């Protein structure tokens, strides 16, 4: 088969074909290379650089919250937090890693594993595993860094509360942003993992307090392991300080006064007394000096390592009920019938609507009968039986006097039956006062229409004489918050102008030590609006409220009568069915109220105190309110003479 | 045309023994220079690409690659000196050796990353499929030249396909899809140069298209999965489909190539390589790393060297003393060209992602030895051909 070989034309052709193929192939490669490297090189260079850079958000220190005199109510302390980048965890051995991390940090491995699973869909956002990590744990994690891929240790800021539980519900707390909040606030620059104010002042003024997070970049390899140190691109701007209208001294006095009032109630056999609220505000502009609610809690339970047991009363319905709702801010969200503290509303409405005249005496009898069925209505004091003017009736808190006014409203027919409520609405009842924190309850001012809408049975849907009569003394369906009462009494105190309570006075630059503070923004109080009450009618009511604290028969004269600062105000004893252990259907308990102001002329402070289940207003709420005045005016009062009067 | 004038005597062999200087003068010095330049350039490229791969030892891979290069040069010399006639005469032995090696791999090799490609020889690991490429071409060419002469019968074509299919399948089963494709390409080239008619070649193309369609669509549609899902994905997916999955490598590779720009980012600035965004940057995706570090200029040098080698290889076909040498040279050159194109194209997203090494650059001793042997065979054909003899 050997034969001489010659390069045949066929072979030459085929070599040529392969040569062309080779040239085309290399041509394609060169073209592609040119297109990638020279034509779009910059684009890919950018992509390559972004590949290795990870942007890290640097938390800005949150601004402090100050009282009106600059005392620090909430500040920051530095802490260490552990974050976990789920995307950087190895797929194999992820569970083991989660378990080890949970063990090191003392967390529940199951809960951490669940959190990791939930985050897998968004691996570029870290989970904050734990804030306020101990030094030993940090050291361990640093030393075993290679064994914890995806774990990042960052500096963070923790809220610090120098006054412990003081004003807890008012100040609110901060926490990691929730999924719902994130969805709502992403456009405002919030990102996952951010700290956000959850309630109270912290939530309402979060935009000022949070500051602007900084940005740093870090070079990482393809597994997310840092290859360089953090390089600052944009420094975090610390949050601004928020100055409140709250006065720490008054706030503390109010909280102590609540405890005192509850003790008094207990001493008076009102053993169910277990909470309350005190509002103190400036009647001239609505600036709130104290907003106390009891029982309370330490906001520090929300800081750092969260203890479920300690948090349960705040987050778990059943535990909260057992602890009597410490998270509830009773001053703005506690709903109570106002009882006799309501009588000035009835009086003003009655005079404005010409239902009665302040100085034409009406009978004050032990009992009165109204309606077709001659229903019996009692006065709290069965031993009085004489005609009274309005000031006298207010001073002695005569129920039958006000029943008569209520009945006269009722007798005016369908139009008359809503007139008192219209005035009540004008005074701010039945709707939030507009204070600058969230969570305010509107309360309830019952009307015939409300009855029709709310109830189903004909019996309940009817507006009876009793509805108007009970309303005149602040009972039955009427519900108010202590803040609404305080705002109303501020109107009485300042001569007829309705104020909007407010808490934040200014945003300030957190001045370094010694440098003058810089006010960035001042929150102007809403200008008071005239309520439109006749000055003569108002004068009669103010006269009555001064007598209530000073005349011989005044319900709170024993408390305020001998105090050197003239105080005007009204007691209230409101019956409310409350759930109590041992009473499946609840038990009728007296809510102890006192609302008033001082000095009686040129008022500077309105105080409204409520002791839940505290019995008579004069025996618990009034002495508690006096404590607040004592601190405000820096004048001690002689020991009150406690009587059990409405 | 130039005629092969030498009778079948021992003349070339005698010349080797008696006149080594004359034999050396008959080598293709341009081809040799291109080869050495490629080897050196590859070594230099690897030095930069793997500098940060082994902490504490910048030269880990370079040293190993240089040793392989030295071994390869011995192989090159041997392949040049040993007469190709031996392979032609004993093509059956060569074929059996190829099959044996492939079988041994399947049976004895340990699986690394899911595939059995390497034979563990204690000190070194040996990847037989690389050297197998050369042996495969020698064997199939031997069969065809013996059987066909100048005309290829359909029967012969079928027999050649049958012979060729066995090693291809064995490589495919390792599994090493890329190398199996190289074998198939070499088989096609051998048939092309042995003189298969255009009609037959057309039928081959049709067959290839049919096999591709079957493997990718027809058989899976009736429930027979020939390829692993990742293989299908690599062959068909576009780079934007699944950034973190199968095509992650490809995306990172294209980014690496593009980021190199005209002159490259340098060794320390090549973040795609150094920070491991580019996996397999010392092996399958080595071209992307080179492109990142040395840019268009550095890549062009490499590609031009390849082109030079291919050109000289094509020239070897024309100067071959006999048909066998021409066919072998054709098969080897095309296999080489195919490897370069598929590997480089893969890193730039214009060829399917398969595990084909880049000749003379990819880290790996077996490949470098095999490629040097490949060039050695070409040199041997050249030296015994009639170009060097009378230097026309």
């Amino acid at each position: 088969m050997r034969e001489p070989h010659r390069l045949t034309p066929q072979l030459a052709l085929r070599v040529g074909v392969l040569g062309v193929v080779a040239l085309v192939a290399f041509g394609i490669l060169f073209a592609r290379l040119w297109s990638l490297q020279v034509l779009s090189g910059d684009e890919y260079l950018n992509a390559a650089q972004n590949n290795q850079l990870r942007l890290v958000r640097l938390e800005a220190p949150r601004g402090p919250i100050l009282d009106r005199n600059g005392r620090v109510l909430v500040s920051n302390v530095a802490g260490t937090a552990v974050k976990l980048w789920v995307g950087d965890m190895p797929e194999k051995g992820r569970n083991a890693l989660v378990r080890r991390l949970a063990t090191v940090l003392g967390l529940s491995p199951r809960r951490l594993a669940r959190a990791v699973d939930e985050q897998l869909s968004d691996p570029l956002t870290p989970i904050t595993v734990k804030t306020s990590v101990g030094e030993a744990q940090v050291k361990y994690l640093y030393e075993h860094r290679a064994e914890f891929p995806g774990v990042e240790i960052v500096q963070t800021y923790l809220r610090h509360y120098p006054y412990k539980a003081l004003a807890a519900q008012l100040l609110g707390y901060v926490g990691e942003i929730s999924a719902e909040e994130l969805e709502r606030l992403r456009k405002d620059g919030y990102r996952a993992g951010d700290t956000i104010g959850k309630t109270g002042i912290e939530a309402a003024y979060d935009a000022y307090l949070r500051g602007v997070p900084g940005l740093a970049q870090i070079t990482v390899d393809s597994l997310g392991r840092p290859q360089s140190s953090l390089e600052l691109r944009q420094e975090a701007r610390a949050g601004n300080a928020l100055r409140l209208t709250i006065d720490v001294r008054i706030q503390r006095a109010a909280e102590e006064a609540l405890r005192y009032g509850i003790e008094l109630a207990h001493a008076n056999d009102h053993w169910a007394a277990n909470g309350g609220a005190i509002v103190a505000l400036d009647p001239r502009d609505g600036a709130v000096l104290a907003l106390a609610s009891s029982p309370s809690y330490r906001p520090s339970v929300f800081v750092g390592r969260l203890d479920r047991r300690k948090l349960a009363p705040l987050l778990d319905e059943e535990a909260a009920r057992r602890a009597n709702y410490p998270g509830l801010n009773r001053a703005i969200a506690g709903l109570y019938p106002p009882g006799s503290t309501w009588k000035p509303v009835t009086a003003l409405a009655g005079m404005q609507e010409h239902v009665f005249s302040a100085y034409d005496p009406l009978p004050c009898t032990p009992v009165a009968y109204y309606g077709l069925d001659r229903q019996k209505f009692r006065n709290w004091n069965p031993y009085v039986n004489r005609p009274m003017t309005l000031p006298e009736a207010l001073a002695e808190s005569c129920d039958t006097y006000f029943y008569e006014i209520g009945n006269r409203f009722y007798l005016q027919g369908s139009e008359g039956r809503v007139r008192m409520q219209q005035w009540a609405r004008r005074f701010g009842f039945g709707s939030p006062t507009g204070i600058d924190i969230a969570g305010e309850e509107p309360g309830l001012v019952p009307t015939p229409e409300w009855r029709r809408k709310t109830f189903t049975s004909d019996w309940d849907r009817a507006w009876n004489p009793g509805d108007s009569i009970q309303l005149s003394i602040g009972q039955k369906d009427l519900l108010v918050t202590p803040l609404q009462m305080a705002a109303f009494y501020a109107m009485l105190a300042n001569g007829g102008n309705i104020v909007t309570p407010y808490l934040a006075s200014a945003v300030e630059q957190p001045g370094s030590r010694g440098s003058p503070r810089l006010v960035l923004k001042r929150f102007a109080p809403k200008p008071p609006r005239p309520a439109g009450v006749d000055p003569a009618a108002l004068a009669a009511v103010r006269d009555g409220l001064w007598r209530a604290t000073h005349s011989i028969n005044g319900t709170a004269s024993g408390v305020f009568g001998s105090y050197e600062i003239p105080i005007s105000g009204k007691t209230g004893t409101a019956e409310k069915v409350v759930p109590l252990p041992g009473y499946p259907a609840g038990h009728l308990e007296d809510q102890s109220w006192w609302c008033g102001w001082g000095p009686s002329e040129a008022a500077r402070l309105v105080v409204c105190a409520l002791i839940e289940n505290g019995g008579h207003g004069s025996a618990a709420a009034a002495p508690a309110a006096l404590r607040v005045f004592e601190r405000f005016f820096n004048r001690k009062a002689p020991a009150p003479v406690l009587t059990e009067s409405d | 045309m130039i005629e092969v004038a030498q009778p079948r005597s021992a003349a070339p062999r005698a010349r080797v023994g008696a006149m080594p200087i004359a034999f050396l003068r008959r080598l293709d010095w341009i081809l040799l220079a291109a080869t050495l330049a490629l080897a050196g350039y590859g070594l230099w490229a690897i030095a930069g690409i793997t500098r940060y791969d082994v902490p504490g030892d910048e030269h880990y891979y370079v040293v190993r690659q240089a040793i392989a290069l030295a071994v390869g040069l011995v192989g090159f010399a041997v392949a040049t000196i040993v007469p190709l006639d031996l392979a032609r005469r004993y093509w059956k032995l060569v074929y059996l050796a190829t099959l044996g090696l492939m079988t041994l791999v399947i049976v004895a090799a340990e699986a690394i990353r899911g595939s059995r490609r390497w034979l563990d020889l204690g000190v070194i690991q040996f990847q037989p499929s690389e050297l197998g490429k050369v042996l495969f071409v020698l064997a199939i060419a031997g069969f065809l030249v013996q059987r066909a002469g100048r005309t290829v019968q359909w029967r012969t074509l079928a027999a050649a396909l049958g012979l060729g299919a066995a090693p291809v399948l064995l490589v495919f089963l390792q599994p090493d899809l890329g190398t199996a494709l190289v074998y198939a390409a070499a088989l096609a080239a051998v048939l092309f140069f042995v003189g298969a008619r255009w009609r037959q070649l057309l039928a081959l193309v049709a067959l290839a298209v049919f096999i591709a369609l079957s493997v990718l669509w027809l058989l899976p549609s009736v429930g027979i999965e020939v390829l692993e899902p990742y293989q299908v994905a690599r062959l068909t997916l576009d780079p934007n489909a699944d950034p973190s999955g199968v095509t992650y490598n490809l995306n990172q590779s294209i980014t690496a190539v593009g980021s190199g720009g005209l002159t490259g980012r340098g060794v320390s600035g090549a973040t795609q390589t150094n920070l491991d965004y580019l996996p397999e940057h010392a092996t399958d995706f080595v071209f992307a790393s080179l492109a990142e570090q040395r840019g268009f200029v550095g890549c062009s040098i490499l590609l031009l060297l390849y082109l030079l080698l291919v050109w000289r290889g094509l020239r070897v076909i024309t100067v071959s003393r006999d048909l066998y040498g021409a066919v072998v040279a054709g098969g080897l050159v095309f296999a080489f060209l195919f490897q370069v194109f598929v590997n480089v194209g893969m890193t730039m997203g214009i060829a399917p992602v398969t595990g084909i090494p880049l000749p003379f650059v990819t880290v790996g001793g077996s490949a470098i030895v095999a490629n040097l042997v490949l060039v050695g065979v070409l040199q041997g054909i050249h030296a015994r051909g009639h170009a060097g003899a009378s230097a026309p």
Side-chain angles (χ1 to χ4, degrees):
Chain A
M1 61 145 277
R2 294 303 307 166
E3 60 192 69
H5 173 71
R6 55 170 69 235
L7 183 65
T8 60
Q10 185 202 34
L11 188 59
L13 174 68
R14 293 196 176 188
V15 170
V17 168
L18 186 54
V20 171
V21 167
L23 282 178
V24 169
F26 278 92
I28 291 172
L29 293 183
F30 271 110
R32 177 68 173 166
L33 200 58
W34 177 265
S35 130
L36 284 179
Q37 295 199 292
V38 182
L39 299 186
S40 355
D42 291 341
E43 211 174 290
Y44 286 110
L45 186 59
N46 230 342
Q49 278 162 351
N50 287 339
N51 225 350
Q52 78 225 25
L53 290 183
R54 174 165 286 167
L55 287 182
V56 179
R57 251 163 112 77
L58 300 177
E59 204 182 337
R62 201 172 168 85
I65 301 176
L66 315 173
D67 91 335
R68 63 163 49 214
N69 298 312
R71 290 191 189 84
V72 178
L73 292 169
V74 187
S75 62
N76 287 314
V77 289
T80 310
V82 169
K83 294 194 175 194
L84 187 57
W85 294 82
V86 172
D88 295 337
M89 299 171 71
E91 231 164 277
K92 264 187 203 164
R94 192 170 59 215
N95 291 336
L97 172 59
V98 165
R99 265 199 306 280
R100 269 185 293 137
L101 186 62
T103 314
V104 171
L105 297 176
L107 302 169
S108 147
R110 241 188 12 188
R111 292 212 350 249
L112 184 57
R114 199 174 327 127
V116 167
D117 285 344
E118 280 165 13
Q119 199 66 36
L120 279 176
S121 56
D122 181 14
L124 291 179
T125 306
I127 314 176
T128 303
V129 177
K130 189 181 175 184
T131 51
S132 141
V133 182
E135 205 175 315
Q137 294 164 323
V138 169
K139 229 172 135 190
Y140 182 88
L141 287 177
Y142 260 121
E143 281 166 5
H144 298 76
R145 213 193 295 210
E147 297 163 33
F148 292 95
V151 172
E152 189 191 9
I153 297 167
V154 292
Q155 277 299 304
T156 182
Y157 297 94
L158 302 174
R159 277 317 220 186
H160 175 61
Y161 302 89
Y163 292 96
K164 308 263 183 322
L166 191 80
Q169 303 96 340
L170 159 65
L171 295 171
Y173 61 93
V174 298
E176 192 176 331
I177 193 165
S178 70
E180 301 86 64
E181 288 166 331
L182 190 59
E183 199 170 314
R184 191 157 39 85
L185 296 169
R186 189 175 276 280
K187 59 179 190 313
D188 299 331
Y190 287 81
R191 293 292 176 269
D194 280 5
T195 298
I196 187 175
K198 295 283 188 182
T199 61
I201 291 286
E202 296 271 25
Y205 291 94
D206 194 69
Y208 299 101
L209 292 168
R210 67 192 296 256
V212 181
L215 274 183
Q217 63 185 34
I218 190 168
T219 312
V220 295
D221 69 3
S222 61
L223 296 178
R225 292 175 300 217
Q227 302 287 311
S228 74
S229 51
L230 276 182
E231 204 177 304
L232 200 62
R233 268 181 49 174
Q234 185 193 321
E235 200 149 358
R237 279 220 317 276
N240 292 313
L242 185 71
R243 187 174 289 251
L244 301 183
T245 56
I246 295 288
D247 185 327
V248 163
R249 285 166 53 249
I250 310 300
Q251 177 74 27
R252 190 189 281 153
E255 295 190 8
E256 285 166 2
L258 277 178
R259 279 193 286 280
Y260 170 64
I262 291 169
E263 277 168 30
L264 283 179
H266 289 169
N268 261 328
D269 279 351
H270 289 284
W271 53 270
N274 57 359
I278 290 182
V279 179
L281 52 80
D282 186 330
R284 293 165 295 190
D285 65 354
V288 178
L289 278 80
L291 201 70
S293 177
S294 170
S296 185
Y297 67 96
R298 292 188 170 201
S300 58
V301 297
F302 286 104
V303 177
R305 183 176 172 184
L306 301 183
D307 183 331
R308 273 160 88 75
R309 202 168 36 80
K310 283 189 190 159
L311 278 176
L314 299 166
L315 301 177
D316 175 65
E317 177 61 26
E318 175 59 22
R321 193 183 57 71
R322 262 182 275 130
N324 199 19
Y325 304 101
L328 176 69
N329 190 344
R330 287 164 160 78
I332 63 166
L335 290 174
Y336 310 90
S340 298
T341 50
W342 182 260
K343 284 172 181 165
V345 178
T346 309
L348 287 176
M351 284 184 282
Q352 293 291 145
E353 298 296 331
H354 307 293
V355 170
F356 79 106
S357 171
Y359 295 99
D360 289 345
L362 292 175
C364 179
T365 51
V367 291
Y369 301 90
Y370 293 106
L372 297 173
D373 54 350
R374 307 300 293 157
Q375 197 185 341
K376 187 167 156 184
F377 294 89
R378 293 170 194 280
N379 186 17
W380 69 272
N381 181 355
Y383 308 112
V384 60
N385 197 351
R386 62 187 166 85
M388 287 182 179
T389 60
L390 174 66
E392 288 174 293
L394 281 172
E396 298 186 30
S397 200
C398 177
D399 292 333
T400 41
Y401 181 96
F402 288 93
Y403 292 153
E404 177 59 25
I405 299 172
N407 192 49
R408 287 182 184 183
F409 272 117
Y410 180 80
L411 294 176
Q412 283 187 343
S414 57
E415 276 175 45
R417 287 167 202 176
V418 295
R419 290 217 173 109
M420 197 199 316
Q421 291 91 321
Q422 283 163 356
W423 279 98
R425 291 202 159 273
R426 192 187 277 204
F427 297 148
F429 295 102
S431 56
T433 64
I435 193 169
D436 46 347
I437 52 175
E440 205 182 350
E441 283 287 341
L444 173 63
V445 178
T447 58
E449 197 193 345
W450 168 79
R451 275 214 155 267
R452 268 200 308 281
K453 278 185 182 162
T454 311
F455 296 101
T456 46
S457 77
D458 286 347
W459 177 262
D460 286 330
R461 294 178 66 182
W463 183 268
N464 294 314
D467 287 303
S468 287
I469 290 164
Q470 297 264 38
L471 181 62
S472 70
I473 62 156
Q475 282 290 166
K476 209 154 183 255
D477 303 310
L478 179 67
L479 288 172
V480 301
T481 65
L483 183 65
Q484 286 174 334
M485 290 309 291
F488 171 65
Y489 275 79
M491 188 273 285
L492 299 179
N494 67 23
N497 291 312
I498 292 166
V499 295
T500 305
Y502 70 99
L503 287 160
S505 68
V507 175
E508 296 170 6
Q509 189 119 315
S512 49
R513 225 170 273 274
S515 70
R517 68 192 173 89
L518 180 62
V519 176
L520 300 173
K521 179 186 174 79
R522 207 176 279 286
F523 297 103
K526 279 204 187 135
R529 306 166 273 125
V533 291
D534 180 31
L538 187 62
V541 169
R542 288 168 57 100
D543 184 19
L545 296 190
W546 184 84
R547 290 194 199 200
T549 51
H550 293 88
S551 75
I552 188 83
N553 287 326
T555 49
S557 295
V559 178
F560 298 100
S562 41
Y563 188 43
E564 62 178 289
I565 311 286
I567 306 287
S568 298
K570 181 76 196 80
T571 51
T573 308
E575 290 178 333
K576 183 187 179 191
V577 177
V578 296
L580 277 184
Y583 298 90
H587 188 252
L588 206 57
E589 283 286 334
D590 287 337
Q591 310 300 307
S592 176
W593 280 95
W594 187 88
C595 292
W597 67 89
S600 296
E601 301 302 322
R604 288 165 57 202
L605 186 72
V606 166
V607 174
C608 201
L610 164 90
I611 307 293
E612 284 183 6
N613 316 330
H616 287 271
S618 58
L626 177 61
R627 288 282 169 102
V628 180
F629 284 114
E630 284 179 335
R631 181 67 57 83
F632 182 79
F633 293 113
N634 269 322
R635 296 275 194 286
K636 288 298 272 181
V641 181
L642 297 184
T643 56
E644 292 235 330
S645 42
D646 178 19
Chain B
M1 289 285 139
I2 305 154
E3 198 156 305
V4 180
Q6 284 90 348
R8 186 186 169 258
S9 67
R13 242 166 138 188
R15 266 213 293 275
V16 171
M19 290 180 280
I21 306 297
F23 184 79
L24 277 182
R25 286 189 52 209
R26 297 177 64 85
L27 292 180
D28 183 344
W29 288 96
I30 299 178
L31 178 60
L32 186 65
T35 308
L36 293 180
L38 266 175
Y41 194 78
L43 207 56
W44 175 71
I46 282 299
I49 289 164
T50 63
R51 182 176 297 175
Y52 304 109
D53 280 0
V54 179
D57 189 356
E58 287 185 359
H59 308 300
Y60 182 88
Y61 284 111
V62 187
V63 169
R64 275 153 186 77
Q65 191 79 341
I67 293 170
L69 201 58
V71 174
L73 285 175
V74 174
F76 170 83
V78 170
T80 307
I81 293 165
V82 171
L84 201 59
D85 262 1
L86 286 179
R88 180 179 60 78
R89 231 179 296 158
Y90 303 111
W91 68 266
K92 286 177 183 162
L93 280 180
V94 175
Y95 181 75
L96 286 177
T98 312
L99 276 189
L101 271 177
M102 299 301 131
T103 315
L104 195 63
V105 171
I106 300 268
V107 175
E110 282 182 41
I112 297 176
R113 273 168 294 180
S115 56
R116 301 168 184 276
R117 299 182 189 176
W118 292 269
L119 274 181
D120 197 341
L121 304 182
V123 192
I124 55 159
Q125 286 184 332
F126 175 57
Q127 192 178 353
S129 60
E130 283 300 317
L131 198 57
K133 268 181 277 200
V134 180
L135 298 180
F136 178 73
V137 169
L138 292 176
I140 297 294
F143 163 75
L144 279 169
V145 168
Q146 182 189 59
R147 182 74 67 88
R150 299 207 171 204
T151 50
V152 178
Q153 307 293 323
W154 284 100
R155 204 155 41 85
T156 314
L157 182 70
L161 286 182
L163 275 180
V168 171
L169 275 177
L170 284 174
V171 175
F172 176 73
L173 288 176
Q174 286 180 1
D176 187 349
L177 181 60
T179 307
L181 287 176
V182 174
Y183 277 48
L187 175 62
V190 166
L191 282 167
F192 182 71
F193 283 108
V194 89
R197 277 162 290 160
W198 291 105
R199 228 180 313 153
Q200 293 171 322
L201 293 172
L202 213 62
L204 274 185
V205 171
L207 180 69
V209 170
F210 174 73
I211 291 176
L213 284 177
S214 308
V215 165
L216 290 176
W217 285 286
L218 292 179
L219 291 177
S221 71
V222 294
I224 304 167
E225 299 289 346
V226 182
L227 295 175
E228 298 291 324
Y230 78 92
Q231 289 175 320
V232 176
R234 283 177 183 176
L235 289 176
T236 57
L237 264 192
D238 70 304
N240 299 317
D242 171 23
S244 60
V246 176
T247 54
Y248 170 85
N249 293 4
L250 188 50
N251 263 334
Q252 296 294 357
S253 173
I254 292 175
T255 303
V257 173
S259 70
L262 194 60
T263 53
R265 306 173 76 188
V267 170
S268 55
T271 53
Q272 289 288 101
T273 302
N274 298 341
L275 300 179
D276 275 328
Y277 283 99
L278 191 59
E280 306 290 337
H281 58 249
T283 52
D284 295 350
F285 284 95
V286 73
F287 184 79
S289 272
L290 176 75
E292 189 190 19
Q293 294 191 336
R294 311 298 181 188
F296 185 75
V297 174
C299 291
S300 298
I301 293 172
L302 182 73
L303 291 182
L304 289 175
L305 286 174
Y306 283 137
L307 191 57
L308 183 61
L309 193 147
V310 169
W311 169 52
R312 296 313 288 184
L314 289 175
R315 194 173 161 280
V316 166
I317 303 175
T318 64
V319 302
S320 171
R321 185 168 59 102
D322 53 14
L323 180 63
Y324 181 65
V327 170
V328 166
L332 292 180
V333 168
F334 185 68
F336 185 85
L337 174 66
F338 183 81
Q339 281 202 71
V340 169
F341 181 79
V342 172
N343 179 284
V344 173
M346 162 186 91
T347 64
M348 298 191 290
I350 54 171
V353 178
T354 51
I356 296 181
L358 184 65
F360 296 110
V361 185
T362 290
V363 166
S366 306
I368 210 152
V369 170
N371 285 315
L372 282 168
V373 166
L374 185 152
V375 180
V377 170
L378 291 179
Q379 283 288 13
I381 296 168
H382 187 272
R384 290 180 191 84
H386 36 63
S390 49

